Amino acid sequence: MMTEKPTFYITTPIYYPSDKLHIGHAYTTVAADAMTRYKRQRGFDAYFLTGTDEHGLKIQQRAAEAGQEPLAFVDGIVDGIQKLWQLLDIDYSDFIRTTEKRHEQVVQRLFKQIYDQGDIYKSEYSGWYCTPCETFFTEHQLAEGHVCPDCGRPVQMAQEESYFFKMSKYADRWLEFIEANPDFIQPESRRNEMINFVKQGLEDLCVSRTTFDWGIKVPFDEKHVVYVWFDALVNYISALGVGSEDESKYQKYWPADVHLMAKDIIRFHAIIWPIILMAAGLPLPKKVVAHGWLLMQDGKMSKSKGNVVDPVVLAEKYGVDAIRFFLLREMAYGMDANYSEEALVNCINIDLANDYGNLLSRTTAMIEKFLGGVVAPGSEGTDFDAELLELAAQTPEAMAKYMDKVDVANAIGEVWKLVAKANKYIDDTAPWTLNKNGEVEKLKTVMYNLAEVLRQVTILISPVMPNVAAKVWQQLGLSAEAAGQDWTALGWGGFPAGTKICRGEALFPRIDWEAAQAAAAAENETTEPEAETAEALVEPVKPEISIEDFERIDLRVCQVIACEKV
Ligand code: MSP
């Protein structure tokens, strides 16, 4: 009898069409993709939705500036976004555009249903609006300087006839729901923030606009277009065909297991979206998980600040797997992470080249040199085997504990403990000494154990780095089938005895950051415009300090004799 696979439905936010999606945007999509691949490895029927959020004043204005119709304007950009996801190996199940009919119909149906039952009513809106964030604010919500509290940009007065959604009516029900489902909002700090927000009093939400027309028409009052956030949030069910002729995907995957997003839009997902669903009488998602921001030295990466880092450039320079690994390894659960190219290079050099890549090259080099390239366990073991095997046996569960919380950074950390242990195992067992002493059976066991750890680590890490497995299997002399690709292949001893390895190039070549910097500087120098004066190239000199201040400085010279990664 065929048993149905358990399902897993994960979503990212749908992106505003922008030709400058940056590495910060890419974090959410890469994390959701890694989660999907992980769940598939574990036997789930995993469904991953992403897409684009194409309506609203901001798009209408940008299209007008470009002298194009909004839809024609976004078409090309959306194409670019899909290409970016392809480049980053994002294997989504569906890509929804809010300009698609299948989406518009659901938004209109839901809006009318909620209106008919009396939870949407017509009134007059008067307040502030941030167009880049597409968000309404009351006077007291504005930040100092009378600017948007989220992005710090100027807000505009909006005064118009609007429909309102009775959010206030659902505040108590929302609080009860959160109480009964303590894991609904993750991490916990965000949960507390959301509870406080609702307890301060939930106001009805303005859900239509009349001062522009690029949006989904309110079905019973065509002068209005649906507020872009009401429109956008519905994508999570419209993509599944809710209420359509074929509801099979909706029946199968809804409620979503995880809505994943950055912290700045948690309020929309943790409060507004569940209340829309409550009003519509539909089940609520199981979890809303907010990650932190990828920050630059001067704050959040954003197009308006001009500090965005292009993922296409990075992928070309360092490879897609390395970029994906860096993003997922660096962003600790729920926290912000700092981006710098140097940090990326360090991560490649330390975690990938030194730890993982080196484990593969040391292992294959020794198998080739000492054992004629053949992997097979020996009849004798060493004192260090038990500890290595024990950690290998524990690692999948340790990793799963974190992955199931969408804490990918710590999940990778668990796998890397095993990588570190295997590297230490080489030092402890000293295969070169076993070889010198003619202890062939022990040597064979050590080499087999190392090859087997590499097989396990590679299976575990392939949701994060989808291209790495093929390269490792080639060097280990395995076909993908023989190596195994999912968790059923993780049992110890799965490495086929008698395999002939095939040593290859470094998995992640080390990058000489200083040399790369010097080369880049030299290149800049040759292309520097001649008119540039020497003064312009010198950093501004700090003001002199007095001799008294100088005397207070405790200057010491020291030599670093050892250091370790923290
Ligand atoms: N269109 C809305 C989402 C609607 S979902 C129903 C939107 N789009 S966005 O393009 O501005 O942002 C998409 C996602 O990227 C959001 O989760 C946003 O917070 C995230 N990020 C944007 N900049 C980021 C960083 N610098 N770091 C991490 N994530 C960032 O919001």
Side-chain angles (χ1 to χ4, degrees), residues 307-338:
N307 64 357
V308 299
V309 176
D310 187 347
V312 178
V313 174
L314 286 188
E316 271 164 17
K317 207 161 159 190
Y318 300 110
V320 170
D321 275 350
I323 304 300
R324 289 176 57 118
F325 182 89
F326 167 74
L327 287 173
L328 299 179
R329 173 95 157 129
E330 288 295 304
M331 188 88 97
Y333 190 55
M335 314 284 281
D336 292 340
N338 290 315

Side-chain angles (χ1 to χ4, degrees), residues 186-188 289-292 331-335 405-410:
Q186 291 293 323
E188 202 171 327
V289 180
H291 59 76
M331 188 88 97
Y333 190 55
M335 314 284 281
K405 278 175 58 193
V406 201
D407 181 351
V408 188
N410 268 320

Side-chain angles (χ1 to χ4, degrees), residues 57 101 203 227 232 363 477 506 517:
L57 180 57
K101 262 271 148 306
E203 292 182 15
Y227 170 45
T363 302
Q517 287 303 94

Side-chain angles (χ1 to χ4, degrees), residues 375-392:
V375 185
S379 54
E380 276 179 74
T382 75
D383 293 345
F384 303 98
D385 301 351
E387 235 182 79
L388 179 72
L389 267 62
E390 203 180 313
L391 187 65

Side-chain angles (χ1 to χ4, degrees), residues 119-121 125 135-136 162-168 202-208 227 229-230 233 267-268 272 276:
D119 284 342
I120 287 180
Y121 60 94
Y125 180 77
T135 308
F136 296 100
S162 294
Y163 284 95
F164 282 79
F165 173 41
K166 279 190 193 164
M167 297 265 291
S168 52
L202 211 48
E203 292 182 15
D204 291 349
L205 179 71
C206 178
V207 285
S208 78
Y227 170 45
W229 270 100
F230 188 107
L233 288 161
R267 194 158 45 87
F268 296 95
I272 299 178
I276 293 175

Side-chain angles (χ1 to χ4, degrees), residues 329 350 563-566:
R329 173 95 157 129
I350 297 170
C563 60
E564 60 182 33
K565 199 178 150 203
V566 179

